[in-house]
Amino acid sequence: MTDRTTTIDDRRARSRPETGTGDAKTGDAEIGTEQVSYLRAGHTLRSWLLTTDHKRIAILYLISVTIFFFIGGAAAALLRVDLLTPEGDLLTNEGYNRAFTLHGVIMVWFFLIPSIPNTFGNFLIPLMIGARDLAFPRLNLISWYIYILGGLFTVVVLITGGVDTGWTFYTPLSSMFSNGNVVLAATAVFIVGFSSILTGLNFIVTVHKLRCPGMTWGRLPLFVWSHYATALILVLATPVLSITLALIAAERVFGLGVFDPALGGDPLLYQHLFWFYSHPAVYIMVLPALGVVSELIAAAARKPVFGYRFVAGSSIAIAIIGFLVWGHHMFVAGQSMYASAVFSFLSLVVAVPSGIKVYNWTATLYKGHISLDPPFLFAMGFIGLFVVGGLTGLILAMLAVDVHVHDTYFVVAHFHYIMVGGTVSAYFGALHFWWPKMIGRRTSVVWGRLSAVLIFLGFNLTFFPQFILGYLGMPRRYHVYAPEFQVLHVMSSAGAGILAVAYLLPFTYLFYSMRYGAPAGPNPVGATGLEWTVPSPPPKHNFATLPVVTGPPYDYEIEHEEAGKAGGGRKGKARTTRRDRADDQGRPTRQAKTAPGEEWQ
Amino acid sequence: MIGDLFTRWAGEASAHAGQVDLLVLGFTLLVAALSLPVFVLMVVFALRYRRGRAVNRRHPINRNVWIEVSWAIIPFILIVMFFVWATSLYVDIYHPPDDAIEIQVEAKQWMWKFQHPGGQREIDELHVPAGEPVRLTMASQDVIHSLYVPALRLKRDVVPGRYVSMWFTADRPGDYVMTCAEFCGTNHSTMGGRLVVMAPADYARWLAEADVDRSLAAQGAALFRSAGCSGCHGASATVHAPPLAGLYGRPVPLDDGTVVTADDQYIRDSILLPHAQIAAGYPRIMPTFRNILDEAQVLRLVAYIKSLANDPPSSQSPADDHPAGGQPPVEQGR
Ligand code: HEM
Ligand SMILES: [Cu+2]
């Protein structure tokens, strides 16, 4: 990063040459009248379904991904209700197995993997790097159609009775023994994989080729860095999954002996191939969330992210090391003792970059101007749950311990802390933070805070007891369980009830705000970043003139002094103290350009 | 009822279980020490520096390489110490003592079958003597299962197509839960049973009372004849096939020039996948028994061939020399 004192020039002012140095808000309002917002550029269904605008495609994804989240959630609700009693009175054994398989398949491939990249990544990457669209807009649309095609296959699987293999499709159960619809389900996942690959490719090319003048790699927002890392994994790992699924189908349909030992195949080969994809896939799910949280924390604290280079570099490190740890899923599966030791060690190594991020976020808050609005609360919730998930991951990486807790509820709790506590919290945080940008209207702060708190509490009540269940020896994927465990299961189901309400809640007030929310203005949160320089909702081609970036990301310093000078502040209180201003001596004083975050209630 | 959790499920049935618990406890303390400051500081900072509050915000720092490096390296070194501890415990699991009692396990949808060296068989229940090492040699008839005894803090996947082994010394007599931990189809959650750890004297009585027709090796010897193995490997055979006495545990030169050790897996594969490895100097004529014998029968044959381990290799007629099967390969529980 460049020295602060030499970069007083406001790149947001420079990025809008056509409005000169005027007030940001009025300037953007003027643009707004010249350029129609992307939401109004065409009202027909056709104009949506054939759009190549990355923002509209993002909205298409937002809708479809949310639908799958609720289908997967319904399956989870079914599981949790069934687990209220040890005998599982609601479902048969077979029915339970089919329910958790669909829950897993839908949540992993149709929600978690596309969730943040395909919605927020799609919407924000071009805006953040100063581009008018992704590099291949039509490919982007095709990728959505492929996703929908895969989704339709999944729905067909659901209607025709489901699959009972677990989302991991372990062989030879899936290839030779299962009586579910394995081939169809594998086809669904195979198809949706292409959507991932195309989106990843699009992101990589976009970040390389379409950055606006002055947007150097060292100035990329951390959100973009983490999506770049994610895109690398999407492109490199997904093909392995596709091939593996094709091999399962070949074995099941044609009796080609690949994985079944009775045909001369090797079941462990399957596990190696599957986890070679699926472990990096966990990082596909969580890296974008890490990027979101870096943005939310910086904006909430009005401060540059502490150690920008370390945080950006850690995303790439996670992506690379993430490829080398797949064997930690196989410590008791029969891989060699030496291989296990290496995989265990590398799994501990991958914790380092994750730890760096968490410590750096904490340091970012130090001496910030922290807003306790919903996006920040979601980010805090994320960090808390992600840390618990990550640390229990370390416990799992300890070889002798994993031998005990592998394939128990301990693992179920661990990955839900990362994927649901982490990624889903970040997804909701992003939704609250960028909603005004996407829709052009503000939403309720009070309700947002309430749902952030409810999600956090409901989540912990649901999943914390599962750590205990697991350590006591309760295996996962159990429909019928020992009566001793009932108390803990009932707690978990009660938490799931709270969580269900908390997840539904935002959709009510977000929908409400679409009609009744106050207009947002270009920068309602007072954040830096090019996406906040364009009107909300942005015009079809984002930037009338391509911006030119002259400063580092997250240069919030100026705003502190300015806001202080302007005497603005929530509820009329002065935000900065005398000492703060004394500290700012010797710097040029200017009028506040954007401090509307103060009005965000 | 809840009490069962702490005896039948998570009780410490072995010294190993106690060590795992100690490791987890220590490691949990470490990670708590690493993460609590984060939790506390985040809340403190969020409240102290919240917007609109008049506090000293001078000299915020935005980067400091030494801080960065130290909070990456120091926790890592601490964690690596636990890695060494956990790995050494894990390595122990791979080294059964030589005098372990050998019990053979066959897993199939959805039951566990056990065979003691003396021929005693049981289903979904395993009796073992307290204080003596026990080694399980496990095979699966269909999909992957995983034998899991929470009170031992041990599990091992039973992967079809190979023998896997797991060993333990349970020191506390009692009844412990045994389950299947790898999802194996419809009735996965009901696939389980109990591990009964008995005082050695009780175990000996149990062995004596259990009805057995013959020892495992003797059953294998009978099978050796009835399945037709002795037609080629027996004394009167005219076919050029390797003699099996004294084979077990010895190096076997293969026709591709490599040398393998004749262990359980080698013998199993020779029966089920005879053409995968051909002993040097013998023709490729042995048929596969894949569709004729199941894993339990193969295990009995292995026990029989093992029982000939100490016979002189010259003997060409194993089945005839040992009509009742030789000594079981390992010492039996008393
Ligand atoms: C309302 C919240 C949720 C509840 C109560 C819940 C509950 C469950 C339960 C009971 C299982 C089965 C465990 C087993 O038998 O092994 C499960 C598995 C799983 N859940 Fe969730 N879940 C919830 C949300 C989610 C979400 C939001 C995701 C992803 C974003 C997710 C991802 C998974 C995955 C990947 C599995 C593994 C499936 C498998 O074992 O095949 N869950 N969940
Ligand atoms: Cu099983």
Side-chain angles (χ1 to χ4, degrees):
Chain A
M1 272 195 268
T2 0
D3 186 351
R4 283 187 254 134
T5 51
T6 61
T7 55
I8 324 157
D9 47 351
D10 180 359
R11 70 158 191 268
R12 273 161 299 138
R14 292 225 178 164
S15 68
R16 242 180 292 103
E18 78 280 7
T19 55
T21 54
D23 182 295
K25 267 189 284 181
T26 55
D28 281 319
E30 275 158 29
I31 302 174
T33 53
E34 293 161 9
Q35 289 180 283
V36 187
S37 96
Y38 80 100
L39 288 175
R40 287 166 196 275
H43 291 278
T44 57
L45 190 60
R46 194 188 145 89
S47 74
W48 278 91
L49 293 182
L50 294 181
T51 183
T52 52
D53 182 344
H54 67 102
K55 300 181 289 303
R56 284 197 162 199
I57 296 174
I59 299 289
L60 292 177
Y61 269 118
L62 185 68
I63 296 168
S64 32
V65 157
T66 303
I67 290 173
F68 277 106
F69 181 65
F70 284 113
I71 299 180
L78 199 64
L79 296 173
R80 273 318 336 165
V81 172
D82 188 78
L83 289 171
L84 281 169
T85 56
E87 307 78 28
D89 301 306
L90 188 62
L91 298 165
T92 57
N93 285 351
E94 190 65 32
Y96 181 87
N97 298 344
R98 287 168 194 248
F100 78 68
T101 303
L102 272 161
H103 169 66
V105 167
I106 290 177
M107 286 301 193
V108 167
W109 283 294
F110 293 92
F111 177 72
L112 282 172
I113 288 182
S115 60
I116 296 176
N118 290 21
T119 55
F120 298 103
N122 239 325
F123 195 97
L124 294 168
I125 289 175
L127 283 167
M128 284 183 164
I129 65 172
R132 295 216 161 95
D133 207 319
L134 288 176
F136 308 115
R138 257 169 298 189
L139 205 60
N140 198 15
L141 181 65
I142 291 170
S143 151
W144 182 73
Y145 276 102
I146 295 177
Y147 171 85
I148 291 296
L149 185 67
L152 288 178
F153 268 78
T154 313
V155 173
V156 173
V157 173
L158 191 79
I159 294 169
T160 57
V163 227
D164 61 347
T165 58
W167 73 281
T168 45
F169 295 112
Y170 265 24
T171 54
L173 179 66
S174 65
S175 62
M176 305 307 285
F177 291 85
S178 162
N179 44 21
N181 229 330
V182 178
V183 174
L184 208 56
T187 312
V189 177
F190 181 84
I191 293 172
V192 80
F194 286 92
S195 166
S196 294
I197 296 172
L198 295 183
T199 301
L201 203 69
N202 218 338
F203 285 178
I204 293 176
V205 177
T206 305
V207 174
H208 274 276
K209 291 307 211 188
L210 297 187
R211 284 170 289 124
C212 68
M215 178 58 84
T216 56
W217 287 89
R219 288 174 180 170
L220 281 181
L222 291 166
F223 179 89
V224 179
W225 268 109
S226 65
H227 274 77
Y228 182 75
T230 308
L232 290 178
I233 309 179
L234 282 171
V235 171
L236 292 176
T238 316
V240 178
L241 175 74
S242 310
I243 292 166
T244 312
L245 291 171
L247 288 174
I248 289 191
E251 182 162 289
R252 199 171 161 88
V253 179
F254 306 113
L256 188 78
V258 188
F259 302 128
D260 181 15
L263 301 172
D266 180 0
L268 286 195
L269 174 65
Y270 174 79
Q271 296 182 22
H272 280 292
L273 290 173
F274 180 79
W275 290 114
F276 182 80
Y277 161 79
S278 284
H279 193 81
V282 174
Y283 295 105
I284 297 175
M285 302 175 208
V286 84
L287 273 170
L290 299 173
V292 165
V293 170
S294 293
E295 299 294 326
L296 302 194
I297 293 277
R302 292 264 173 103
K303 257 186 87 206
V305 172
F306 182 89
Y308 168 88
R309 270 165 206 279
F310 276 86
V311 178
S314 65
S315 290
I316 303 294
I318 290 174
I320 294 171
I321 310 170
F323 269 102
L324 306 176
V325 300
W326 79 88
H328 69 206
H329 296 273
M330 300 170 63
F331 289 155
V332 299
Q335 81 188 351
S336 101
M337 171 181 98
Y338 304 100
S340 292
V342 172
F343 282 122
S344 165
F345 186 79
L346 289 170
S347 306
L348 302 180
V349 173
V350 81
V352 173
S354 316
I356 289 182
K357 287 195 193 262
V358 172
Y359 286 126
N360 284 21
W361 290 328
T362 313
T364 305
L365 298 181
Y366 178 63
K367 299 204 170 181
H369 291 85
I370 296 164
S371 134
L372 300 182
D373 281 342
F376 178 71
L377 296 187
F378 278 109
M380 291 277 277
F382 170 94
I383 296 175
L385 302 177
F386 177 73
V387 167
V388 173
L391 294 176
T392 51
L394 290 183
I395 294 181
L396 285 168
M398 295 285 149
L399 288 169
V401 183
D402 185 67
V403 170
H404 173 39
V405 290
H406 174 74
D407 266 339
T408 67
Y409 265 77
F410 194 92
V411 173
V412 176
H414 154 70
F415 70 69
H416 279 87
Y417 265 80
I418 300 272
M419 290 168 14
V420 185
T423 304
V424 179
S425 296
Y427 181 74
F428 277 96
L431 203 55
H432 284 77
F433 186 63
W434 282 292
W435 184 257
K437 176 56 58 186
M438 298 174 109
I439 301 302
R441 293 181 187 268
R442 290 154 203 250
T443 152
S444 160
V445 171
V446 177
W447 283 103
R449 284 184 182 148
L450 180 70
S451 59
V453 172
L454 262 188
I455 286 178
F456 184 78
L457 296 180
F459 180 87
N460 280 303
L461 182 58
T462 310
F463 291 104
F464 197 81
Q466 298 187 1
F467 283 124
I468 303 169
L469 278 171
Y471 201 80
L472 294 175
M474 161 98 200
R476 71 191 277 204
R477 300 178 173 179
Y478 260 38
H479 175 232
V480 178
Y481 60 86
E484 301 94 277
F485 290 120
Q486 190 171 11
V487 178
L488 288 162
H489 272 300
V490 170
M491 282 168 72
S492 181
S493 295
I498 298 178
L499 202 51
V501 173
Y503 280 148
L504 285 167
L505 193 58
F507 292 93
T508 57
Y509 59 78
L510 290 179
F511 270 123
Y512 180 86
S513 75
M514 283 169 74
R515 216 188 154 105
Y516 302 104
N523 193 357
V525 289
T528 65
L530 293 178
E531 81 268 31
W532 301 109
T533 64
V534 297
S536 312
K540 189 159 185 238
H541 290 294
N542 300 350
F543 301 95
T545 317
L546 280 188
V548 178
V549 177
T550 56
Y554 314 109
D555 58 345
Y556 281 100
E557 279 78 14
I558 300 155
E559 289 187 7
H560 297 166
E561 357 169 331
E562 289 163 353
K565 299 264 157 57
R570 179 178 299 165
K571 294 171 194 128
K573 264 194 250 163
R575 284 192 306 125
T576 39
T577 62
R578 209 157 247 299
R579 274 178 299 174
D580 266 328
R581 266 177 264 159
D583 182 43
D584 296 330
Q585 272 172 8
R587 304 246 191 100
T589 56
R590 297 214 213 149
Q591 274 302 305
K593 289 204 176 54
T594 41
E598 311 312 316
E599 306 146 17
W600 196 42
Q601 290 227 32
Chain B
M1 201 166 70
I2 298 286
D4 282 355
L5 271 180
F6 299 98
T7 52
R8 281 165 43 72
W9 286 82
E12 288 179 0
S14 64
H16 178 80
Q19 284 171 333
V20 171
D21 287 353
L22 188 65
L23 170 68
V24 170
L25 185 69
F27 195 64
T28 307
L29 291 179
L30 172 70
V31 294
L34 293 177
S35 59
L36 276 182
V38 174
F39 292 141
V40 172
L41 284 178
M42 292 204 46
V43 174
V44 168
F45 290 166
L47 296 179
R48 184 175 162 82
Y49 298 111
R50 70 177 185 273
R51 266 181 217 173
R53 202 159 173 274
V55 285
N56 177 7
R57 291 191 175 88
R58 269 192 297 171
H59 307 306
I61 37 169
N62 295 329
R63 57 193 291 203
N64 181 325
V65 173
W66 291 113
I67 298 185
E68 298 273 357
V69 171
S70 65
W71 67 38
I73 298 294
I74 295 172
F76 184 67
I77 292 174
L78 294 173
I79 288 170
V80 166
M81 288 165 25
F82 278 88
F83 162 78
V84 173
W85 182 0
T87 306
S88 73
L89 274 182
Y90 179 78
V91 169
D92 291 346
I93 304 175
Y94 280 79
H95 291 99
D98 293 335
D99 60 348
I101 299 170
E102 200 146 335
I103 294 177
Q104 307 202 312
V105 184
E106 188 204 357
K108 61 175 170 191
Q109 286 178 332
W110 290 277
M111 63 171 83
W112 296 103
K113 291 180 165 182
F114 300 92
Q115 311 186 68
H116 293 257
Q120 296 83 353
R121 287 205 247 167
E122 33 183 350
I123 290 180
D124 287 348
E125 221 165 76
L126 172 60
H127 290 75
V128 297
E132 288 183 45
V134 173
R135 180 177 159 193
L136 308 178
T137 298
M138 308 192 280
S140 164
Q141 191 62 49
D142 38 52
V143 299
I144 304 177
H145 302 272
S146 186
L147 185 76
Y148 177 32
V149 181
L152 297 172
R153 310 285 183 273
L154 285 181
K155 72 166 64 69
R156 197 75 211 269
D157 286 6
V158 187
V159 182
R162 60 176 73 191
Y163 286 156
V164 294
S165 79
M166 173 166 118
W167 79 275
F168 58 88
T169 307
D171 1 74
R172 207 166 296 173
D175 244 24
Y176 302 98
V177 169
M178 181 172 73
T179 64
C180 176
E182 181 62 65
F183 179 66
C184 59
T186 311
N187 295 327
H188 165 58
S189 63
T190 59
M191 178 167 169
R194 57 191 195 130
L195 170 75
V196 184
V197 180
M198 312 172 94
D202 294 339
Y203 177 66
R205 205 170 310 125
W206 179 85
L207 280 180
E209 280 167 13
D211 60 348
V212 203
D213 41 354
R214 276 161 300 167
S215 77
L216 211 53
Q219 295 173 33
L223 202 55
F224 194 78
R225 277 185 302 269
S226 64
C229 319
S230 57
C232 296
H233 295 280
S236 45
T238 51
V239 182
H240 184 47
L244 302 183
L247 170 73
Y248 187 82
R250 303 271 153 72
V252 179
L254 299 182
D255 67 352
D256 61 5
T258 56
V259 177
V260 297
T261 304
D263 56 6
D264 297 34
Q265 182 76 41
Y266 171 79
I267 294 171
R268 175 193 178 277
D269 289 349
S270 303
I271 300 169
L272 298 182
L273 305 164
H275 294 170
Q277 294 172 313
I278 301 286
Y282 292 95
R284 205 177 256 272
I285 52 172
M286 173 155 168
T288 171
F289 287 79
R290 196 190 296 145
N291 299 322
I292 300 167
L293 301 173
D294 65 18
E295 293 286 356
Q297 290 171 312
V298 176
L299 279 166
R300 267 170 253 161
L301 285 171
V302 172
Y304 168 60
I305 293 168
K306 239 170 166 173
S307 72
L308 309 176
N310 296 322
D311 288 16
S314 57
S315 163
Q316 258 284 5
S317 55
D320 303 339
D321 290 354
H322 296 271
Q327 289 300 329
V330 288
E331 237 179 89
Q332 256 193 35
R334 286 143 296 256

